[in-house]
Amino acid sequence: MSQSVCILGVTGSIGQSTLKILQQHSEKYSVFAVTAHSRILELVEICKQYRPKIVVVPSNKVDELKQYFQNQNLKNIEILSGEAGLIAVAEHTDVDVVMAAIVGAAGLLPTLAAVKAGKRVLLANKEALVMSGELMMQAAHDYHAELLPVDSEHNAIFQCLPQNYFQTERNGQPKQGVSRILLTASGGPFLNHSFEQLQRVTPAQACKHPNWSMGQKISVDSATLMNKGLELIEACHLFAISEQFVTVVVHPQSIIHSMVQYVDGSTLAQMGNPDMCTPIAHALAWPDRIQTHVPALDLFMNQHLDFQEPDTTRFPALKLARQAMQSGGLAPAILNAANEIAVAAFLKNKIGFTEIPQVVEQTLNQVESGIAESIDLILQADQVARSVAQQIVINKGN
Ligand code: NAD
Ligand code: MG
């Protein structure tokens, strides 16, 4: 029987790649629900092609969408709105698989709803896990959800871990013969820029990643290395491993997507051309494998695999994220919220590129952390951090 899929964030880069895979395997998967925050015309095109049963948009877009649906004869597609709509489709009884591909904190509650409904959740929305950490992991355990990583590095690590890895206690120690995780980073488009050059980086330059084509926010995060910082936190939660056992390795070719080292001296790597269709297909079909259009790696074309240590002086975001993970509690949620505000301000030319980590650091210094006991406390910390970060942005006043 075919699996019914809900795509949260269908108009985004991950959403589009997901549709590509679903289209290629339409006998195995059907699109039940899709959600979008903007780009309503693109959403209408998606609806024409995939005929979902339900779509979710923000409340202020409902009338516009209804109009399009009437004109295009799509009247039998149900329209839901707002956060309640996102949660409703994420936990819908007719849904088997949820692709969590909303960007940022906005994805937290819908992703958590999918987890609590015991779905197979394909996790692209790393910010949701960075914010909620152990609460999300505990919910996945309690509600028997299959939380599978789509982020290419985490998907690679998942593929390199031993099969019995998840059967034992979650205590932060490497286990089942694993000794260390090597999280690879491309280093972004400004790997070799001096600090002075970094100060002059424009939003357009920061949004152009050398190896991956992605949404604006994650592109900027990749350029500051905050993306790797968020991924470090993501890895600690997904694989129940303390941050001291996760080493970040800059590997500019993005051919190795991450590695796992074992006590016997083995290092296992997952390699492939940089295309998100591979990890999406892997998580969708796991433990089976399905075909994608991604060409097999041609090793004769890629003669160099280079590795270097990250420079946290020019790219302090990575260090801030590691510190936030060490502090634990609400610190990662505060870090994430401040970063979302700082990136949005940078994209609007309100602050410079090198001011992004400064806003994050100052917010972390000003907002009191605490134990991340509940989702409400996490959402509160997120709100406080946003307003503090916003004020810091205003004070920087470009
Ligand atoms: P994107 O900006 O291209 O798309 C984001 C999607 O989320 C869009 O469909 C948008 O409509 C929706 N959205 C945005 N704000 C929203 C809000 N407030 N409420 C509801 N929906 C909202 O982003 P992307 O590159 O597809 O990334 C999505 C997530 O996947 C991010 O968390 C990112 O870190 C992660 N991720 C992306 C890639 C990649 O290659 N693009 C790789 C790994 C992980
Ligand atoms: Mg990644």
Side-chain angles (χ1 to χ4, degrees):
M1 221 181 70
S2 98
Q3 298 252 300
S4 161
V5 183
C6 162
I7 307 174
L8 304 172
V10 74
T11 46
S13 159
I14 293 287
Q16 294 293 308
S17 298
T18 307
L19 286 176
K20 243 198 238 175
I21 302 288
L22 298 184
Q23 187 185 27
Q24 200 181 341
H25 297 280
S26 54
E27 74 302 339
K28 280 202 176 79
Y29 305 100
S30 62
V31 181
F32 179 82
V34 296
T35 86
H37 195 63
S38 54
R39 303 198 200 158
I40 299 302
L41 270 177
E42 286 176 44
L43 178 65
V44 174
E45 287 308 310
I46 290 167
C47 290
K48 279 205 291 208
Q49 192 177 348
Y50 293 89
R51 302 279 164 165
K53 300 270 184 295
I54 309 178
V55 295
V56 186
V57 289
S59 342
N60 61 3
K61 304 272 192 220
V62 171
D63 289 343
E64 185 186 348
L65 187 64
K66 263 193 193 148
Q67 197 63 52
Y68 284 123
F69 276 7
Q70 292 220 320
N71 299 341
Q72 311 265 359
N73 216 6
L74 295 168
K75 275 169 276 187
N76 44 12
I77 299 180
E78 187 181 352
I79 302 176
L80 299 179
S81 67
E83 192 159 69
L86 296 173
I87 292 172
V89 289
E91 64 186 20
H92 199 289
T93 45
D94 291 351
V95 166
D96 302 306
V97 180
V98 175
M99 165 51 85
I102 290 174
V103 59
L108 173 58
L109 292 181
T111 304
L112 191 62
V115 165
K116 288 191 169 174
K119 308 292 185 198
R120 170 169 292 205
V121 180
L122 315 186
L123 184 73
N125 180 204
K126 64 192 84 181
E127 296 91 347
L129 185 58
V130 166
M131 292 173 74
S132 62
E134 284 310 308
L135 287 181
M136 178 85 75
M137 296 311 297
Q138 190 62 45
H141 176 266
D142 293 346
Y143 295 92
H144 307 290
E146 291 178 307
L147 188 60
L148 299 176
V150 164
D151 212 346
S152 56
E153 296 77 3
H154 306 75
N155 185 269
I157 294 162
F158 185 83
Q159 294 194 45
C160 295
L161 285 172
Q163 274 186 356
N164 58 3
Y165 187 80
F166 294 96
Q167 287 161 12
T168 46
E169 201 190 342
R170 295 177 58 82
N171 60 9
Q173 293 299 312
K175 50 192 187 178
Q176 310 295 108
V178 170
S179 59
R180 177 162 294 280
I181 285 175
L182 303 180
L183 184 69
T184 56
S186 70
F190 313 127
L191 178 58
N192 298 314
H193 273 38
S194 66
F195 186 77
E196 290 66 35
Q197 286 173 306
L198 288 176
Q199 283 178 307
R200 292 193 298 271
V201 158
T202 65
Q205 291 167 333
C207 287
K208 242 179 124 188
H209 194 276
N211 305 339
W212 299 94
S213 149
M214 311 181 285
Q216 283 195 325
K217 195 259 177 183
I218 183 176
S219 297
V220 177
D221 285 349
S222 299
T224 60
L225 286 203
M226 181 57 92
N227 183 50
K228 215 43 59 180
L230 298 175
E231 290 186 357
L232 168 75
I233 299 173
E234 185 185 10
C236 293
H237 292 305
L238 282 171
F239 308 120
I241 196 163
S242 137
E243 56 75 32
Q244 80 227 50
F245 302 110
V246 184
T247 302
V248 174
V249 179
V250 174
H251 163 49
Q253 292 87 359
S254 300
I255 293 295
I256 293 181
H257 299 304
S258 278
M259 293 168 263
V260 174
Q261 293 191 317
Y262 286 81
V263 290
D264 62 3
S266 300
T267 299
L268 300 195
Q270 188 265 354
M271 301 196 277
N273 285 309
D275 187 322
M276 289 307 293
C277 285
T278 298
I280 292 168
H282 174 268
L284 199 57
W286 181 83
D288 295 340
R289 297 268 178 178
I290 53 174
Q291 225 162 23
T292 69
H293 292 302
V294 182
L297 199 57
D298 181 350
L299 284 171
F300 300 114
M301 293 289 286
N302 300 288
Q303 295 183 0
H304 296 278
L305 297 180
D306 297 316
F307 306 100
Q308 64 189 74
E309 262 188 84
D311 177 352
T312 53
T313 310
R314 279 178 305 133
F315 299 101
L318 179 56
K319 191 170 56 192
L320 293 172
R322 196 179 275 281
Q323 285 165 355
M325 188 62 212
Q326 282 163 352
S327 316
L330 297 167
I334 295 166
L335 169 102
N336 176 68
N339 182 56
E340 286 193 32
I341 295 295
V343 170
F346 168 69
L347 287 170
K348 289 190 192 139
N349 285 307
K350 294 209 167 105
I351 59 170
F353 182 77
T354 51
E355 287 177 311
I356 297 172
Q358 293 171 13
V359 171
V360 175
E361 182 166 23
Q362 288 167 23
T363 307
L364 279 164
N365 290 339
Q366 286 180 37
V367 178
E368 206 179 324
S369 184
I371 305 172
E373 254 171 1
S374 67
I375 292 295
D376 283 349
L377 279 175
I378 290 167
L379 290 173
Q380 254 175 44
D382 172 85
Q383 285 306 314
V384 173
R386 276 168 202 272
S387 52
V388 168
Q390 203 71 64
Q391 196 53 52
I392 295 169
V393 164
I394 291 169
N395 294 344
K396 288 197 179 286
N398 275 0

